[in-house]
Amino acid sequence: MGSWGRLLLAPVVLLAGCTAAGAPATPATPAASAPTGCAARVEEGRLPDWADAGFSGDTRMPHVFGAKGEIVAVLFGQPLAVGRTAGPSNKILWVARPAATPSPDPSAPATLVITATLDGTTTRVTREVAGGPGPSIVDVPRAGCWHLELRWSGRADTMDLVYVAA
């Protein structure tokens, strides 16, 4: 085989190695229920310094950062589960990064409002944490990837959390 043949064959071989052998094709789904992707990324390392107040010793806890880095969800009931009847609850400690400047709207309620939408659906629930970021139990009606819009004290961030069936 000439050098051109080897040059053209290399990308084909590399791409073939990136596919799942024998995996059945996934049928197309209607756009209304098409998933938009799940960016849930549970970190297992230490909490950032700004989020570890009240913890002592090793602060390695499962946690998820907001997309803007303004808030972190510390997961005590990992994995989060729907329909759990025993074991830990879906306890989440919400810790907001200290604001660099005073709230843009001092009259904005401190309550943390969580608007969660199940990926690929129109299923939406709202949860509130009185007093702003802090300890909470956040349950949702179905397993899957939930896109969360978080609003508190004139601030906002987003994150994805995955809930599994119990």
Side-chain angles (χ1 to χ4, degrees), residues 13 21 24 28 34 64 72-73 121 154:
V13 171
V64 177
V72 64
T121 74

Side-chain angles (χ1 to χ4, degrees), residues 50-131:
W50 56 265
D52 68 0
F55 288 92
S56 60
D58 189 4
T59 62
R60 293 177 205 269
M61 298 282 301
H63 57 280
V64 177
F65 285 99
K68 295 180 188 175
E70 293 296 310
I71 196 164
V72 64
V74 182
L75 309 177
F76 287 88
Q78 179 64 7
L80 300 171
V82 174
R84 182 180 305 201
T85 57
S89 61
N90 292 322
K91 181 177 179 182
I92 300 173
L93 174 62
W94 301 97
V95 183
R97 180 186 292 271
T101 59
S103 174
D105 180 5
S107 66
T111 298
L112 171 63
V113 178
I114 305 165
T115 304
T117 305
L118 180 61
D119 184 42
T121 74
T122 57
T123 302
R124 179 175 288 182
V125 296
T126 300
R127 304 291 186 251
E128 292 186 357
V129 180

